[in-house]
Amino acid sequence: MIIEMGKSRTWRFFEAVTAFPKTVLVIVAIITIATASFLPRLTKDTSADAFMPAEHPAVVYRDKVKETFGLKDPLVVAVVNNGPHGVFNPESLQLIKWLSDQIAELPGIDADRITSLASEKNIIGVPEGLQVEPFFIDPPETQEEADAIRDAVAGFPLYNGNLIGENGKATLIAAELLDEEQSQEAYRLLRELVDAAPRQAGEEIHVAGQGGVMGYLGKYVDTDAQRLTPLAAVIIVFILFLCYRNPRGVILPLLVVGGTLGVAMGAMAAAGKPIYTITNALPVVLIGIAVADSIHILGQYYDELSARPKAPARELAIRTMMAMWRPVTITSLTTIAGFTGIYLSSSMPPMKDFGLFATLGIATAMILSLVAVPAGLTLLKPRMSPALRAIRRAGKVQGDVQETAESRGALFGRRIGRSVAENPKAVLTLGGLVIAAGLIGLSQLRADEAPIDNFQIDEPIAVADRVINDLMNGTTTLDVVIETQEAEALFEPERLRRIEALQRYIETLPSVRSTVSIVDYLKQMNQALFDNEADAYVLPETADQVAQYFLLYSMSGDPTDFQEEVDYDYRLANLRVTMNNGRYSNEAKVIAALEDYIDTNFNSADMTASLSGHVTVHYNWMNQLLSGHLVSVLISLIAVWVMSSLTFRSTIAGTLTLLPVAISVFLVYALMGAVGIRLAIGTSMSAAIAIGIGVDFAVHALDRLILLAGDRAKSLDEAIEDLFPTTGRALLFNFLTVFFGFGVLISSQVPGLIRFGSLVAVAVSASFIASMTVLPALVKLLPPSFLTEQFRIAQASRDISVRWERLGISDVPDRA
């Protein structure tokens, strides 16, 4: 029979939960299934724009520029031939023609927007004016014909590096997508086409481009989703079975995990939020976190069963939850506080979604741990865990090697606790050294990343990127939009010369390989009209000549050929810059220098320039990443401290729980500084997540020390020693689930997720070790008043018990 203890509200709550356990579990199942039913609606977003809000000025302006000039992110095919003639041989030109024709027929490809040697046109001066014609219609049959094509292309400077690589060893075929959301399928079909292409010995074909990046990332997301979550589940099941060695020790935690994933991911789908590269790790993260509370609850349940082996299942469930609801609630709320810091501090949709839906998942796991787990325990017949039964028999039964070994494990933990209690200064000194190393690492922390860093270096998309950056002008583009006030203002030679001067300056900047604008086409037309004389590659001298050149071109060429360089009214122009280095550190130098030049040497009342394109978007979101990182860490630390202080009702206790977390964060910084890991999308969240997850260990350790101080421990040293074989075991398995949960990310195909998982795993390890060593050492060296008060109350209670025994009173009230 349950001793009522005045029946607090908490007691009555768990009485209600366990009174109708089947009803509780059915309600949980209905809510989970209803929310999870939205999962088929989940979509993917692997675009470069995913990390910027749609309303950000850089994105809004870039989209406006793309619409004005008809710019799209292409799939790019590079054909490489290292033979003596390069790609200018009959067989390679035949391959280029075949690929161009076949790509135009692929679903999702704009057949009118294929750019290649087989589609581009030469500008030739004729007596009637200008003649615009393809470099070839049918592929050449002889090497002499191929050489003639080479000479014609060489006389068109615009194509050098952009269409044809240095020494003619490589050429590009660019294909624009009709719908960028179909990039993954288009990339798959293009890869199949390339694999089936008829090529000769020594020819290489690579697929790259922004469209290819999106398509390849979509493949990564699908592959990771199919492998990481099941792998994490298998590992967690193994650890749970190792911990308790019975079905309930596995089934009840998995019940919480299933409900958590169903609600969090289902809510994400219902809200119309896509899966980003980084949020693809969310299910793995939630699995590791959701199972932690169940481990501690089951550990307490078996403690209660050991103390009351004949108690009914409902009484054991209630007593268990009365002991565990507080640490479960505290750890959940502090973890929520950590992830809330990510949500509040970031403006990037993937990070905000990660923080928001992780928070929802953790809140769900907390509720299920407080409701579904006691309901499940009530329905199950009380039965001791084989693992714990063996440990408890050890020391009583002699001669059993396995039981003695398990007993030695508990004794080993007790020895560690004794060592911590006896050497607090040494332990704190080690913790201080970690913090010092972390401060050094923090001072060296830099933000840097390139979009191609999302791929393993040996992946075909990464190989293609290196090939194009080596043999061509590069894969990274920056747009400079020139704006005038009046229609046909760009006919004026003075304005065109200012654009030309801007191009020459840009070409002096780091990693810039080429610039292309309407200026280059006008110079090409002028040279063609003057018999291709080298000195004639200059701008026309008058506005009338410029207007006449465009008219002459339109007579035999397509007027839309200049769509990407100038608008219909000749008021806006686009200057495209190509770089062979897409790293943020390089982009920042180019943009800073270019903005300074534009402000001081270019902009005027009649003509201005503005930056746009992928480089500006990438630059802006990396700037936000850098500025938001420390803010997110600070918010997470403050939120965790406030939550811990409120739940423990002590600012000192809140500060104590924060110390192990701080050590883990500084260890992450020390590791990043030592190894040279830069701040990027994945690594930027590692510190804030380490705070939210790592604080759980400190909360459980401090809560158990308070309980031990008010229960059986007679001194602080004894409480610290008792901490290890009791809570220490549950915390160890808690740590293992989180560690291996994040460790699963090491098997991801995305390097950013690998670094993210590795850093959090290291931080979690540091939090666990610091919570079991540095926290008790600090408590021993500077005993907080709330803990010494517990010892005083416990001693008074023991004195009363002794007096009662002397008076012959044995019915001492149960302190549970």
Side-chain angles (χ1 to χ4, degrees):
M1 166 175 154
I2 301 175
I3 298 173
E4 297 196 357
M5 304 166 51
K7 286 196 174 180
S8 67
R9 291 180 181 177
T10 309
W11 185 282
R12 287 197 294 270
F13 171 79
F14 288 115
E15 274 192 330
V17 168
T18 56
F20 305 99
K22 292 181 180 179
T23 302
V24 168
L25 293 177
V26 168
I27 293 173
V28 167
I30 291 174
I31 294 174
T32 301
I33 293 171
T35 314
S37 65
F38 290 97
L39 286 174
R41 299 187 186 181
L42 273 177
T43 58
K44 298 190 297 290
D45 186 353
T46 56
S47 67
D49 299 345
F51 293 96
M52 289 288 282
E55 65 275 9
H56 191 281
V59 176
V60 173
Y61 187 65
R62 194 281 316 278
D63 290 344
K64 179 182 177 181
V65 170
K66 289 178 72 172
E67 182 178 355
T68 300
F69 296 103
L71 304 173
K72 289 186 178 181
D73 297 327
L75 288 163
V76 177
V77 177
V79 178
V80 179
N81 189 319
N82 289 310
H85 301 287
V87 296
F88 290 97
N89 64 80
E91 292 78 12
S92 293
L93 291 174
Q94 174 68 48
L95 172 63
I96 293 165
K97 173 66 174 174
W98 183 88
L99 283 170
S100 300
D101 293 343
Q102 294 297 315
I103 291 172
E105 296 179 5
L106 291 178
I109 298 295
D110 188 344
D112 296 326
R113 304 283 291 195
I114 304 293
T115 301
S116 75
L117 271 175
S119 66
E120 287 306 277
K121 301 166 186 175
N122 194 8
I123 301 176
I124 303 170
V126 295
E128 296 79 12
L130 291 175
Q131 181 174 324
V132 182
E133 60 183 23
F135 285 107
F136 66 89
I137 297 175
D138 296 319
E141 297 182 357
T142 66
Q143 186 57 49
E144 289 75 14
E145 293 175 342
D147 291 340
I149 295 173
R150 173 199 284 271
D151 295 340
V153 174
F156 209 122
L158 275 175
Y159 293 141
N160 293 334
N162 294 314
L163 183 64
I164 297 296
E166 186 177 353
N167 299 322
K169 299 294 185 182
T171 186
L172 298 182
I173 302 171
E176 293 187 2
L177 299 168
L178 292 170
D179 183 356
E180 292 181 355
E181 293 185 0
Q182 302 300 318
S183 59
Q184 184 175 351
E185 178 62 13
Y187 177 81
R188 185 187 66 81
L189 293 173
L190 181 55
R191 285 297 319 175
E192 290 180 356
L193 176 65
V194 166
D195 291 341
R199 69 190 81 181
Q200 60 180 324
E203 280 182 335
E204 302 172 10
I205 306 177
H206 304 276
V207 181
Q210 287 295 330
V213 167
M214 289 188 292
Y216 217 99
L217 276 179
K219 174 188 172 185
Y220 266 13
V221 168
D222 288 344
T223 304
D224 273 1
Q226 294 169 8
R227 187 182 70 253
L228 295 183
T229 302
L231 180 59
V234 169
I235 292 175
I236 296 303
V237 167
F238 174 76
I239 293 174
L240 289 171
F241 185 78
L242 186 66
C243 183
Y244 294 116
R245 299 184 196 171
N246 62 11
R248 74 184 65 190
V250 175
I251 294 173
L252 291 179
L254 289 184
L255 177 66
V256 175
V257 169
T260 299
L261 292 181
V263 171
M265 303 307 293
M268 179 183 286
K273 301 294 186 179
I275 290 288
Y276 303 103
T277 307
I278 193 69
T279 54
N280 200 36
L282 186 56
V284 175
V285 172
L286 288 177
I287 288 175
I289 295 174
V291 78
D293 289 335
S294 300
I295 290 177
H296 290 282
I297 291 173
L298 287 168
Q300 182 65 33
Y301 171 80
Y302 289 122
D303 282 346
E304 296 291 342
L305 179 58
S306 178
R308 300 173 177 83
K310 294 184 180 181
R314 187 183 176 199
E315 176 181 345
L316 291 172
I318 294 175
R319 286 186 178 278
T320 297
M321 299 313 300
M322 287 300 294
M324 291 306 301
W325 74 268
R326 187 166 173 268
V328 166
T329 303
I330 295 173
T331 54
S332 298
L333 292 178
T334 51
T335 304
I336 287 172
F339 280 93
T340 301
I342 297 175
Y343 173 77
L344 294 176
S345 64
S346 179
S347 61
M348 298 183 183
M351 291 188 171
K352 290 188 77 70
D353 287 356
F354 196 104
L356 176 62
F357 292 102
T359 296
L360 176 61
I362 296 162
T364 302
M366 177 184 70
I367 294 171
L368 292 177
S369 297
L370 296 174
V371 174
V373 173
L377 290 174
T378 302
L379 290 174
L380 296 172
K381 182 180 179 180
R383 184 173 298 168
M384 178 58 71
S385 159
L388 296 180
R389 184 188 299 121
I391 290 175
R392 285 177 171 79
R393 283 204 311 265
K396 295 181 180 179
V397 179
Q398 302 296 324
D400 191 315
V401 175
Q402 180 180 356
E403 292 171 357
T404 302
E406 289 175 327
S407 177
R408 287 174 181 170
L411 291 174
F412 177 72
R414 193 175 293 279
R415 282 196 295 271
I416 295 176
R418 190 180 306 119
S419 178
V420 169
E422 292 173 352
N423 303 281
K425 292 183 180 180
V427 173
L428 292 176
T429 299
L430 290 175
L433 291 175
V434 171
I435 293 177
L439 289 172
I440 296 173
L442 181 60
S443 68
Q444 300 174 346
L445 196 61
R446 299 290 184 273
D448 203 9
E449 187 177 49
I452 202 65
D453 290 344
N454 285 304
F455 306 99
Q456 302 283 356
I457 61 173
D458 57 346
E459 288 284 1
I461 190 80
V463 174
D465 186 79
R466 290 196 299 273
V467 167
I468 295 174
N469 281 326
D470 288 342
L471 300 179
M472 309 291 292
N473 284 340
T475 59
T476 303
T477 57
L478 168 67
D479 292 318
V480 183
V481 180
I482 316 297
E483 185 172 355
T484 62
Q485 303 302 315
E486 301 174 356
E488 298 184 354
L490 291 174
F491 286 172
E492 293 294 331
E494 186 273 333
R495 294 191 177 98
L496 293 172
R497 282 192 286 272
R498 284 167 59 190
I499 296 174
E500 183 181 29
L502 176 61
Q503 288 183 247
R504 299 294 81 79
Y505 172 75
I506 295 174
E507 289 168 359
T508 67
L509 299 178
S511 302
V512 172
R513 296 289 296 272
S514 73
T515 62
V516 175
S517 77
I518 194 62
V519 166
D520 300 290
Y521 285 97
L522 286 168
K523 290 160 69 174
Q524 186 71 35
M525 286 187 269
N526 191 72
Q527 186 180 47
L529 289 170
F530 285 87
D531 297 326
N532 287 324
E533 294 180 4
D535 294 341
Y537 193 71
V538 294
L539 282 165
E541 295 181 355
T542 68
D544 288 341
Q545 280 183 299
V546 173
Q548 186 179 17
Y549 283 9
F550 282 121
L551 178 62
L552 289 173
Y553 185 96
S554 65
M555 290 180 179
S556 62
D558 188 342
T560 63
D561 286 346
F562 303 130
Q563 179 183 1
E564 295 185 357
E565 285 76 32
V566 67
D567 73 333
Y568 179 78
D569 293 328
Y570 298 95
R571 188 180 70 84
L572 303 174
N574 185 47
L575 190 168
R576 173 147 285 191
V577 181
T578 304
M579 299 184 290
N580 64 353
N581 185 332
R583 303 204 69 80
Y584 165 75
S585 55
N586 183 73
E587 294 172 347
K589 294 175 184 176
V590 172
I591 288 178
L594 186 51
E595 286 180 337
D596 180 67
Y597 179 91
I598 288 172
D599 290 340
T600 58
N601 296 286
F602 186 86
N603 284 350
S604 63
D606 65 327
M607 188 165 68
T608 59
S610 304
L611 304 186
S612 181
H614 282 295
V615 167
T616 57
V617 173
H618 184 237
Y619 170 79
N620 274 278
W621 66 252
M622 284 297 291
N623 277 347
Q624 291 190 2
L625 179 75
L626 184 60
S627 62
H629 169 72
L630 293 178
V631 175
S632 70
V633 172
L634 185 60
I635 291 176
S636 297
L637 284 172
I638 293 173
V640 166
W641 178 79
V642 170
M643 198 66 68
S644 297
S645 299
L646 289 175
T647 50
F648 277 113
R649 298 180 183 178
S650 167
T651 56
I652 300 299
T655 304
L656 286 172
T657 59
L658 214 56
L659 179 62
V661 175
I663 290 176
S664 70
V665 170
F666 281 115
L667 181 62
V668 167
Y669 287 141
L671 182 63
M672 292 178 70
V675 181
I677 298 176
R678 297 302 184 187
L679 196 65
I681 289 299
T683 56
S684 68
M685 294 197 305
S686 57
I689 290 178
I691 293 169
I693 296 175
V695 73
D696 289 7
F697 303 114
V699 168
H700 277 293
L702 186 59
D703 185 74
R704 179 60 66 169
L705 281 174
I706 294 172
L707 180 63
L708 291 171
D711 191 3
R712 58 180 177 269
K714 296 179 182 179
S715 67
L716 189 51
D717 283 19
E718 186 177 323
I720 293 173
E721 186 177 328
D722 286 345
L723 175 67
F724 282 79
T726 55
T727 297
R729 184 179 188 276
L731 280 177
L732 174 61
F733 282 98
N734 181 358
F735 156 69
L736 291 175
T737 57
V738 177
F739 177 84
F740 284 107
F742 280 93
V744 165
L745 294 177
I746 297 175
S747 67
S748 169
Q749 293 192 10
V750 182
L753 287 184
I754 295 173
R755 290 188 288 270
F756 166 65
S758 301
L759 289 175
V760 175
V762 169
V764 167
S765 303
S767 290
F768 169 67
I769 295 171
S771 296
M772 299 301 293
T773 56
V774 176
L775 177 60
L778 187 61
V779 166
K780 171 65 188 301
L781 205 61
L782 301 170
S785 58
F786 65 84
L787 198 58
T788 55
E789 180 66 13
Q790 288 294 318
F791 279 111
R792 188 190 64 77
I793 294 172
Q795 184 59 47
S797 176
R798 281 192 287 269
D799 292 343
I800 292 173
S801 297
V802 170
R803 292 194 189 100
W804 283 23
E805 288 178 6
R806 289 175 180 173
L807 295 172
I809 301 173
S810 60
D811 189 12
V812 183
D814 194 327
R815 298 181 66 252

